[in-house]
Amino acid sequence: MAKRMTTSAGNPIADNQNSLSAGARGPLLMQDYQLIEKLAHQNRERIPERVVHAKGWGAFGTFTVTHDITQYTRASIFAEVGKQTDMVCRFSTVAGELGAADAERDVRGFALKFYTDEGNWDLVGNNTPVFFVRDPYKFPDFIHTQKRHPRSNLRSPTAMWDFWSLSPESLHQVTILMSDRGIPTTPMHMNGYGSHTYSFWNDKGERFWIKFHFKTQQGHKHLTNAESEQVIGQTRESYQESLYGAIEQGTFPKWTLHVQIMPEEEATKTSYNPFDLTKVWPHGEYPLHEVGVLELNRNAENYFAEIENAAYSPSNVVPGISFSPDKMLQARVFSYADAHRYRLGTHYEALPVNRPKSEVNHYHKDGAMRFFDNFHSNPDAYYEPNTMNGPQEDAAVAEPPLRIDGDADRYNHREGNDDYTQPGNLFRMFDQGQRERLFGNIAAAMDGVPEEIIQRQLVHFYKADPAYGEGVAKAVGVALPKTVTANT
Ligand code: NDP
């Protein structure tokens, strides 16, 4: 027999079809609290969508260690080969709103939350190893160019290329975005990167700088612009369909985790700034070390509760894993947790999907939606320090000091930075077909952009590689500025 339906307060409901009224033709009664509750809930079914990464797809999974890296990190997730840790993943596009089509050209978010024995470790990455800007001061402006124009309420290619052409540090990411990898076929057919430089620290208190790479075991598959138009014409939900469908069928997607490791003292010696989010560490200098396998193997039972409510933040680190001087990372450590407090509420970490599987013992007190009990057995221990046997700090998990050298100032992040070699290296890896598609994708994205802005951007392409600048110039039908070609 079906269960008895109730209100949210548990009162049994006798009639869920007809509201309470004074006769068939008469008005409703205000005392129909069941009707009011139903309408009121509908009005509150939405929470603010994420300002960035609003459209997403996710699933639960397992991380398994395959190689020993305990000499670099004391993180419990990597404690021994064979160890498994539960996790939840959320992929996303950056710019589109919650209802945007999945198969759009955009960077993809690749956010991972590992429920480790010593708290949650979140790696909130992308499907690209770099980003458009290196100084967080520029991030809100950059995102404004990706979102809607305040007057037209339309996306503005002019704003995007105006900003990019005035911010040459974006060239590397723009090249990846406009390349074949700019529209992965599904979230399963792309790599994930931690992107920032993080650090590991070990039992001896030694620190190592780290880059995380999750390489797809499904192989890279992408759509051309024409193919994506066809897909979007048929379905806006191609990623959700493919990811959800694969997991329902038991075809579990997997990624191999690798890390690049840089000894702490080498950070001052590389020709590029290793904490610059617009740069990669060349594999030839810092090879990939295999660590383990990530498998997604369970769909959420309730998408909203478990994927929309999943709150990822780079501030969630665990003993053995920490930050670096990367300026963008430092800002994200603040900004992500702040975004969730606004979007989900003060106690968002206590929601089931965000709640660590390890013990949580803090003294944060009241506030909206304080729905969980005291953590400690003694209710008198509600402040710290106390003599009431409340939880205490543990010096054994103190991380080694982060060595910082320098005077605080507003350093020009452009000075001394080479924005062209690495995008050029990427371009030079492409065969002729890949180059032609790159030129065509850029030309399509520049549709309607004033010539002056296009010319400014062509100079950046040219500086990365003359063939890059010339190829785009031809595809877009705008000549390279004479001064550039004359200078080389
Ligand atoms: P490598 O030849 O050792 O590595 C090239 C890398 O490029 C591989 O990781 C490959 O990924 C990736 N790649 C191939 N096609 C694309 C594409 N369309 N968009 C993005 N990445 C792609 O050379 P280097 O390490 O010296 O790097 C050369 C250039 O490769 C860099 O300037 C950077 O643009 C790009 N790159 C470098 C990465 C790094 O961490 N060093 C990571 C990703 C890109 P895969 O193996 O999965 O096919």
Side-chain angles (χ1 to χ4, degrees), residues 179-249:
S179 79
D180 285 349
R181 291 197 185 178
I183 318 178
T185 309
T186 83
M188 298 173 282
H189 296 93
M190 64 189 196
N191 287 347
Y193 301 89
S195 303
H196 298 287
T197 297
Y198 288 88
S199 57
F200 276 164
W201 52 277
N202 63 17
D203 282 330
K204 292 188 219 151
E206 296 164 319
R207 189 187 295 277
F208 302 86
W209 306 119
I210 298 295
K211 293 270 198 197
F212 294 99
H213 302 249
F214 287 85
K215 294 227 177 202
T216 174
Q217 291 190 10
Q218 289 67 243
H220 291 278
K221 280 195 194 162
H222 354 93
L223 301 169
T224 62
N225 280 355
E227 288 166 340
S228 85
E229 279 167 24
Q230 281 213 327
V231 169
I232 293 171
Q234 285 163 6
T235 172
R236 302 171 67 78
E237 318 297 339
S238 52
Y239 277 35
Q240 181 68 13
E241 287 164 6
S242 61
L243 179 66
Y244 177 82
I247 294 173
E248 284 299 283
Q249 283 165 22

Side-chain angles (χ1 to χ4, degrees), residues 168-187:
E169 69 269 29
S170 62
L171 183 62
H172 200 176
Q173 180 76 315
V174 168
T175 305
I176 296 175
L177 176 63
M178 296 296 161
S179 79
D180 285 349
R181 291 197 185 178
I183 318 178
T185 309
T186 83

Side-chain angles (χ1 to χ4, degrees), residues 282-347:
H283 293 130
E285 290 175 34
Y286 294 98
L288 296 175
H289 297 263
E290 197 168 328
V291 180
V293 179
L294 175 73
E295 178 189 88
L296 297 183
N297 46 32
R298 181 166 68 83
N299 279 316
E301 290 304 317
N302 182 304
Y303 181 89
F304 183 87
E306 297 176 283
I307 305 297
E308 188 63 15
N309 272 352
Y312 297 87
S313 172
S315 55
N316 286 347
V317 289
V318 290
I321 303 175
S322 188
F323 312 119
S324 81
D326 180 333
K327 293 177 171 64
M328 288 290 289
L329 174 59
Q330 291 287 328
R332 291 179 77 211
V333 165
F334 152 73
S335 200
Y336 278 59
D338 182 56
H340 299 312
R341 286 184 197 110
Y342 162 69
R343 190 175 71 87
L344 298 171
T346 314
H347 293 293

